Amino acid sequence: MLSHSKLTLILHSPLSIVNCSLSIVFFLIYFSFSQKVSAQPTPYYTPPMKLPMAISGNFAELRGGHLHSGVDFRTEGKEGEPVYAVADGYIGRIVIRPDGYGKALYLWHTNNTMSVYAHLRTFTPEVTEWAKKQQYKRESFYLDTELEAGTFSVKQGDLIGYSGNSGRSFGPHLHFEIRDRNQWTLNFIQDGTYKIPDNTLPTAYQLVAYRFDTVQGMAMPKEDNTYSLIVAQKGMLRLGKDTINIPTPAYFGLNMRDQMDGSKNIYGVSRCEMRLNDSLIFSYNMDKFSFDETRYVNAMTDFNKSASKFVRLYVAPGNKLSIYRAVKNQGIISLNRNEVAKVNIILTDDAGNTSQLNFWTKGTDKLSSSKTQLLKGQNIANWNKSNTYEVAGGKFTLPSGALYEPSVFELQTLGPAYGSASPVFLVKQPATPPHRAVSVSIKASIPEDLRSKATIVCMDKKGQKDALNTTYQMPYFTANTRSWGYFFVELDTIAPQITPVNFVPGSRLGANQKRITFKVKDSLSGLKSYAGHIDGEWALFEYNVMNDQMTYEVDPTRVKTGTQHTVTFTATDGVGNKEVFLCELFF
């Protein structure tokens, strides 16, 4: 054992001091490095699934009547992919419905944002059981409920459910959103929250020039010319000629779209800007939007064209979308006769890939003094005041704000057709659907005992009928609509049809059969309500609106198995026609 004096001598020797000093230095370097490595911040949001990130639908795509409010993540064509909480927080809302988002979870996070997971197949067992208790308590498949913060807390990466195809979904995927504290939905791909490999440039195929005609003192846009685009080189588009003539004032529209690496899907272009002589006169950025404004997407597109990808580089006076930036004179171009101006249009996708279209435009004679004559049955409808149009047996009232700009309203009266109990009224113009509900009133001679079975129908050009919620006040049947088409009164006296899908009434279910499924179809007015009962007790039948099927999963905690049961299913349509299906079934 070393004495105190010898130990002191060793510790104070020059070599020991050097070695000790080096050890301390190496320790400090290692500690500093390890601290830097461990200090790499965990991203606030991690991916909602562990699959490679790929999307089938991007943020703010132009859809019918709305902007796509999130991103559709691919699930490799199958259901059941585990879905995880992207950040710490709690489940603040649970929704279960046959249409829309289907089964969906809404999570609040510590930074006051919300993440949304839609079209799920199922939740975790504890959340599923909680939701089922609520459904049985309310005796309703439909559930939309908000939860307190302590009900279901989650940590980043916790399993919350499994991807599916529920609601109005056209294939397995996960619809995912991030919303801010005000419930505005955010473009989390554009802001870099998630990185998706993409080197494919956005593009455009046609340029449309629109002029303004004066009709009864109102300036209304009308297509003037369409020009095909070609790719000159990567990222550069051009017209067939360098200079085009436009009667001014005018504006442009562009048939634009985007694609991504390794995908055949067509996506929306998230950013667009247009310069006139190097001065920015129009731009939009799909970085976020409010759900209250999403229907204004109808004002962005040209419904006279065959595809909704024709985007107007113009802001109609009744268009209140917040996506527009640096817009001058609504994007309208006004040139003097023979005046030449340079136009530059830049398209940018969420990954920052860009394409440009450059050309020259030359002003021709102005058309502001021209007067277009209206045809028989045509009227002028203003966007910022109420308009009512009456013809024999029909009345249409467009409230202020139903239109986005002054438009020709053309109404034709036809004889009874398509099984109608009244004349048929066709709204030929405008092509753009109304923003606010339009009141439609139609006269029809229907016996008093059948009036409750009468409904106003809106039928599109493909023959698809939509029965509207209809009231009667002599002499009119009246309904509200946010679509155009053929309108008429039709009687619905046929009850919904209920058909067993996977069982034979009076039989025994197979040993491994755990579900009872009905197909429920209605001929016209649509399913208004339904209810399934087993031995007189309400049973949870899940409604799949995409295939019109109702499915009950045998629950041994609520129903005794291995015995005979009475199964009752009732379906009621929109005008009160009721059908009851009753059978005995052993399971």
Side-chain angles (χ1 to χ4, degrees):
M1 182 176 181
L2 291 175
S3 65
H4 180 272
S5 59
K6 288 181 179 180
L7 180 61
T8 302
L9 180 63
I10 291 172
L11 290 175
H12 285 81
S13 68
L15 184 60
S16 297
I17 293 172
V18 170
N19 289 336
C20 183
S21 298
L22 288 173
S23 298
I24 292 172
V25 169
F26 283 127
F27 173 76
L28 291 175
I29 292 173
Y30 171 78
F31 180 78
S32 176
F33 176 76
S34 64
Q35 285 296 100
K36 287 181 179 179
V37 171
S38 63
Q40 294 296 321
T42 301
Y44 189 86
Y45 303 104
T46 51
M49 296 184 293
K50 293 182 179 179
L51 293 173
M53 298 193 81
I55 65 175
S56 57
N58 72 331
F59 183 86
E61 280 183 359
L62 279 57
R63 304 281 179 89
H66 69 282
L67 292 165
H68 189 221
S69 57
V71 163
D72 290 341
F73 283 116
R74 294 181 184 276
T75 58
E76 299 182 343
K78 63 181 186 295
E79 299 183 36
E81 183 65 28
V83 176
Y84 304 95
V86 298
D88 294 353
Y90 67 93
I91 298 175
R93 183 182 174 195
I94 298 175
V95 173
I96 301 175
R97 56 185 300 157
D99 52 8
Y101 283 0
K103 294 182 180 180
L105 293 176
Y106 298 70
L107 273 60
W108 277 112
H109 301 295
T110 55
N111 65 348
N112 286 326
T113 63
M114 172 181 277
S115 59
V116 181
Y117 315 75
H119 304 304
L120 298 174
R121 186 174 73 180
T122 187
F123 313 133
T124 55
E126 59 270 27
V127 176
T128 297
E129 186 57 34
W130 185 92
K132 183 184 286 188
K133 288 180 180 178
Q134 298 298 314
Q135 291 171 305
Y136 270 93
K137 180 180 179 180
R138 305 174 190 198
E139 295 191 352
S140 172
F141 168 64
Y142 182 96
L143 180 68
D144 187 347
T145 184
E146 296 186 0
L147 286 73
E148 297 293 334
T151 308
F152 291 108
S153 297
V154 296
K155 289 291 185 182
Q156 186 178 65
D158 282 355
L159 179 69
I160 58 172
Y162 297 88
S163 68
N165 192 30
S166 61
R168 191 161 291 279
S169 172
F170 295 90
H173 70 282
L174 173 68
H175 175 91
F176 178 76
E177 301 171 14
I178 295 179
R179 303 180 185 179
D180 68 13
R181 68 183 65 195
N182 298 314
Q183 293 291 290
W184 283 51
T185 185
L186 309 175
N187 190 339
F188 52 85
I189 302 296
Q190 186 187 111
D191 69 17
T193 298
Y194 298 123
K195 304 285 187 181
I196 298 179
D198 179 21
N199 296 297
T200 304
L201 278 56
T203 192
Y205 298 96
Q206 288 178 306
L207 177 79
V208 185
Y210 299 86
R211 69 174 188 263
F212 285 88
D213 285 354
T214 301
V215 185
Q216 293 187 354
M218 294 187 184
M220 286 182 288
K222 183 178 182 179
E223 181 181 335
D224 186 66
N225 274 309
T226 300
Y227 307 89
S228 296
L229 305 181
I230 57 177
V231 179
Q233 59 187 27
K234 186 176 181 181
M236 298 301 296
L237 306 170
R238 67 177 178 86
L239 302 174
K241 51 185 178 180
D242 291 334
T243 304
I244 60 174
N245 296 327
I246 60 169
T248 62
Y251 67 86
F252 292 114
L254 205 58
N255 181 2
M256 63 176 77
R257 60 192 62 189
D258 187 33
Q259 288 189 274
M260 299 184 71
D261 298 358
S263 173
K264 294 182 180 180
N265 287 70
I266 302 299
Y267 307 96
V269 177
S270 67
R271 284 168 281 180
C272 174
E273 60 182 41
M274 179 171 64
R275 285 179 165 79
L276 185 68
N277 290 331
D278 298 322
S279 176
L280 186 64
I281 65 167
F282 173 90
S283 68
Y284 72 74
N285 184 1
M286 301 290 195
D287 56 349
K288 63 179 180 179
F289 64 86
S290 162
F291 287 90
D292 292 337
E293 62 177 316
T294 187
R295 189 172 173 83
Y296 286 105
V297 66
N298 288 339
M300 283 189 71
T301 59
D302 183 353
F303 277 84
N304 287 297
K305 291 293 187 182
S306 60
S308 62
K309 304 298 181 183
F310 281 87
V311 178
R312 303 202 291 174
L313 311 186
Y314 159 75
V315 183
N319 181 359
K320 298 180 181 180
L321 271 176
S322 63
I323 62 169
Y324 296 109
R325 311 283 189 271
V327 176
K328 294 182 180 179
N329 193 30
Q330 300 174 263
I332 297 172
I333 296 172
S334 294
L335 301 176
N336 296 318
R337 179 178 172 81
N338 294 327
E339 180 183 356
V340 177
K342 180 175 65 175
V343 178
N344 170 243
I345 301 173
I346 300 176
L347 309 179
T348 307
D349 66 16
D350 285 331
N353 301 304
T354 63
S355 291
Q356 291 193 49
L357 169 63
N358 300 312
F359 62 94
W360 296 85
T361 185
K362 182 180 179 180
T364 60
D365 290 332
K366 293 181 178 292
L367 294 176
S368 58
S369 60
S370 68
K371 294 183 179 180
T372 301
Q373 298 299 314
L374 294 176
L375 301 175
K376 183 180 179 180
Q378 292 183 333
N379 298 275
I380 295 299
N382 208 341
W383 67 276
N384 59 355
K385 70 175 186 178
S386 178
N387 305 267
T388 298
Y389 305 101
E390 294 191 53
V391 292
K395 180 168 62 175
F396 289 72
T397 300
L398 287 61
S400 176
L403 305 176
Y404 304 108
E405 58 204 323
S407 304
V408 172
F409 184 83
E410 183 176 359
L411 184 63
Q412 282 190 358
T413 305
L414 310 174
Y418 315 113
S420 69
S422 74
V424 175
F425 300 91
L426 169 62
V427 178
K428 292 190 68 176
Q429 293 190 72
T432 304
H435 187 80
R436 301 188 189 282
V438 170
S439 174
V440 179
S441 297
I442 299 175
K443 291 181 181 178
S445 298
I446 295 177
E448 185 175 355
D449 60 333
L450 288 176
R451 286 174 190 163
S452 64
K453 305 300 182 183
T455 180
I456 292 181
V457 171
C458 175
M459 187 179 77
D460 63 20
K461 294 179 180 179
K462 296 180 180 179
Q464 186 69 36
K465 294 181 178 181
D466 180 23
L468 309 178
N469 187 21
T470 304
T471 59
Y472 178 75
Q473 185 172 358
M474 190 179 295
Y476 287 109
F477 291 92
T478 300
N480 291 328
T481 181
R482 295 175 82 180
S483 300
W484 299 128
Y486 298 86
F487 294 90
F488 50 89
V489 176
E490 185 171 345
L491 287 175
D492 181 4
T493 58
I494 301 174
Q497 183 179 12
I498 304 172
T499 308
V501 172
N502 65 342
F503 69 94
V504 176
S507 66
R508 175 196 290 262
L509 294 184
N512 297 320
Q513 188 172 342
K514 305 297 182 184
R515 291 180 174 87
I516 300 170
T517 300
F518 291 101
K519 190 175 186 69
V520 182
K521 288 280 291 183
D522 187 67
S523 60
L524 180 62
S525 56
L527 194 63
K528 182 178 181 180
S529 63
Y530 75 91
H533 292 80
I534 296 177
D535 301 328
E537 297 293 327
W538 187 85
L540 176 58
F541 277 81
E542 295 201 3
Y543 181 16
N544 185 331
V545 73
M546 300 299 287
N547 60 16
D548 301 310
Q549 290 190 354
M550 311 283 186
T551 299
Y552 168 74
E553 186 164 353
V554 176
D555 185 351
T557 67
R558 298 177 181 275
V559 176
K560 183 180 179 181
T561 57
T563 186
Q564 190 83 0
H565 297 281
T566 300
V567 178
T568 310
F569 195 91
T570 305
T572 306
D573 68 14
V575 295
N577 297 310
K578 181 187 291 187
E579 180 71 10
V580 179
F581 183 95
L582 176 68
C583 75
E584 299 296 314
L585 200 59
F586 189 99
F587 58 88

